[in-house]
Amino acid sequence: MKLDGKKIDDIARDYRVTKGSKFRLKDFDPGDTGSFKSDEHAQAALAKGVKLMSDLQKKLYAQDQWSLLLIFQAMDAAGKDGTISHVMSGINPQGCQVTSFKAPSSLELNHDFLWRSTVALPERGRIGIFNRSYYEEVLVVRVHPELIKAEKIPEPLVSKHIWEERFEDINAYERHLTRNGVVVRKFFLHVSKKEQKKRFLARLDDTSRNWKFSAADLKERAHWDDYQNAYEEMICNTASHHAPWYVVPADNKWFTHLVVATAIIETLDSLDLKFPKIIAEQRQALDEARKILEG
Ligand code: ATP
Ligand code: MG
């Protein structure tokens, strides 16, 4: 499939990680814009991409077999919300479910950490978007290990191997989903510390964006390096062919949107989706319906 004369996979491919063993975050530049030099050029390609995605989604929905799970993880102000709304702007809302995962409630803490995700998984034929996800369990919880206490896991089960065990469980979970027709794609919006500062300051300067600023975000910024290490470890340990990570440059929002959109289009296209075939019996029923309508 092509977009603006380019093979669609050429745009996102450089950012896809399917094998973690050699992955290093420092090899990925948050300011990268690939072969796109300007905002306008990328936005024109995105508009076409949104149309392609809308056509593919109609087939996904009609076929009602595969579902697509899109996971978004990032530091604050990396642009998760904007990416989700731009990229999904052409999608029929009936075929799409967005779930935002916040700090777990007491009900959620009374279950294993995958429970709340399982109930939010997309139905067949749908696209499910996780705005944050079970990956917080190896990110914020790893940076603030005292959060484990609130999870009420029996003490003998909390060892120094807990992160490796969580990676193992997440990998098994994604393998299970894949084997059942849930296609998993994961996006890490990779913003630089400098750009985050600029965006936080913009939230303070612009009264219409003041509500977006949270002192808690500033506190997490103080743990920047710990988070970067946790992200690197997470990608090293959970990237796979069937559930790849995309390390998406996030210092230029227009490029972020384009990379995410093309990754989704490429994924849907690879499923070879088709409208369900009408069999002879159904054709006859349709012909009869036409006769009745036409009197
Ligand atoms: P926005 O600020 O753009 O509205 P957000 O995703 O940052 O979106 P917030 O309500 O600001 O939403 O933050 C949600 C918080 O919940 C984050 O700090 C995140 O780390 C935290 N969180 C999510 N999942 C878990 C978890 N499993 N355990 C502990 N904290 C979690
Ligand atoms: Mg926030």
Side-chain angles (χ1 to χ4, degrees):
M1 192 171 256
K2 289 200 166 174
L3 185 67
D4 259 1
K6 267 189 208 288
K7 254 180 72 193
I8 204 123
D9 192 36
D10 285 353
I11 300 171
R13 191 183 44 214
D14 289 347
Y15 312 107
R16 182 169 58 221
V17 183
T18 55
K19 196 164 165 257
S21 53
K22 292 204 178 83
F23 174 77
R24 291 294 166 267
L25 200 49
K26 67 170 173 43
D27 298 335
F28 289 76
D29 173 11
D32 187 6
T33 59
S35 62
F36 287 80
K37 298 292 162 250
S38 76
D39 191 336
E40 292 97 36
H41 184 189
Q43 270 170 3
L46 178 64
K48 289 180 194 159
V50 165
K51 172 79 181 69
L52 287 177
M53 204 187 298
S54 153
D55 293 342
L56 287 161
Q57 186 216 4
K58 284 182 191 144
K59 291 184 190 163
L60 180 82
Y61 190 85
Q63 191 177 345
D64 203 16
Q65 291 180 343
W66 297 99
S67 56
L68 180 61
L69 174 62
L70 306 172
I71 291 180
F72 289 89
Q73 288 291 158
M75 295 298 285
D76 291 297
K80 282 186 280 105
D81 293 0
T83 302
I84 293 167
S85 62
H86 272 87
V87 172
M88 308 315 279
S89 59
I91 291 291
N92 178 352
Q94 288 201 81
C96 182
Q97 303 150 324
V98 185
T99 310
S100 296
F101 291 94
K102 311 280 180 182
S105 67
S106 54
L107 173 65
E108 289 164 346
L109 288 168
N110 272 322
H111 292 269
D112 70 279
F113 77 81
L114 289 170
W115 179 77
R116 65 175 181 165
S117 301
T118 301
V119 293
L121 286 172
E123 292 173 42
R124 296 196 189 279
R126 313 286 168 105
I127 299 176
I129 296 175
F130 283 4
N131 184 349
R132 302 185 187 270
S133 67
Y134 45 84
Y135 280 104
E136 291 291 329
E137 295 291 336
V138 293
L139 293 167
V140 66
V141 183
R142 190 166 187 180
V143 173
H144 301 284
E146 65 277 10
L147 290 173
I148 291 266
K149 282 224 166 60
E151 298 190 357
K152 296 165 68 174
I153 303 166
E155 223 177 271
L157 301 181
V158 182
S159 76
K160 63 178 196 298
H161 304 297
I162 188 156
W163 313 117
E164 286 142 61
E165 289 168 359
R166 287 190 168 188
F167 292 141
E168 204 179 292
D169 293 340
I170 288 172
N171 285 330
Y173 186 62
E174 292 178 353
R175 172 53 86 189
H176 161 76
L177 294 178
T178 303
R179 286 181 172 146
N180 284 274
V182 183
V183 179
V184 184
R185 294 293 181 268
K186 307 174 293 202
F187 299 92
F188 167 48
L189 307 191
H190 184 27
V191 74
S192 67
K193 195 173 182 189
K194 197 169 148 210
E195 180 64 22
Q196 191 200 48
K197 176 178 170 179
K198 208 169 119 193
R199 292 184 190 175
F200 279 174
L201 285 172
R203 287 176 182 185
L204 293 173
D205 290 344
D206 178 351
T207 48
S208 72
R209 278 195 281 173
N210 281 170
W211 66 273
K212 269 242 157 212
F213 183 79
S214 121
D217 294 354
L218 197 59
K219 255 170 104 183
E220 291 316 293
R221 178 177 164 85
H223 299 282
W224 185 272
D225 291 344
D226 294 338
Y227 271 106
Q228 299 300 302
N229 289 335
Y231 274 111
E232 183 170 276
E233 283 267 308
M234 170 192 84
I235 294 167
C236 276
N237 285 282
T238 58
S240 64
H241 274 283
H242 58 272
W245 274 104
Y246 288 85
V247 180
V248 186
D251 279 4
N252 297 283
K253 291 178 180 173
W254 48 270
F255 192 61
T256 312
H257 301 167
L258 186 64
V259 170
V260 172
T262 52
I264 299 171
I265 296 164
E266 199 275 321
T267 303
L268 287 171
D269 190 43
S270 73
L271 299 177
D272 196 24
L273 300 166
K274 297 211 164 51
F275 287 113
K277 272 217 175 80
I278 300 290
I279 56 172
E281 232 167 70
Q282 290 167 314
R283 169 66 50 208
Q284 212 176 351
L286 293 180
D287 289 344
E288 264 160 38
R290 177 184 297 279
K291 269 188 216 149
I292 293 168
L293 282 170
E294 290 175 346

